[in-house]
Amino acid sequence: MSLFRKAGEKFEETKRAFTNAREPAFVCRSCEEPVSEEYEHCPHCGEAAVEPVE
């Protein structure tokens, strides 16, 4: 296995661990579902109630 392949696999493993363990930055006030990005309307219920998590 080449050095670059090992480095690439380690990078992908670390990236997956980081993105899966991340807390949601936003939440819908209406349905209380976590949202990963700031939306005008909740992708779960459609309400305009997405706000940052405090």
Side-chain angles (χ1 to χ4, degrees):
M1 185 178 279
S2 75
L3 175 65
F4 293 111
R5 178 173 277 163
K6 283 183 183 178
E9 288 177 358
K10 185 65 176 173
F11 174 78
E12 285 298 318
E13 178 183 286
T14 304
K15 182 175 80 172
R16 274 189 242 112
F18 176 77
T19 56
N20 289 340
R22 207 169 30 162
E23 293 286 324
F26 300 92
V27 68
C28 176
R29 290 180 305 188
S30 180
C31 68
E32 299 181 1
E33 288 289 325
V35 181
S36 60
E37 298 177 22
E38 185 174 13
Y39 290 98
E40 284 188 30
H41 294 85
C42 176
H44 304 286
C45 69
E47 293 291 323
V50 176
E51 64 181 29
V53 174
E54 294 179 2

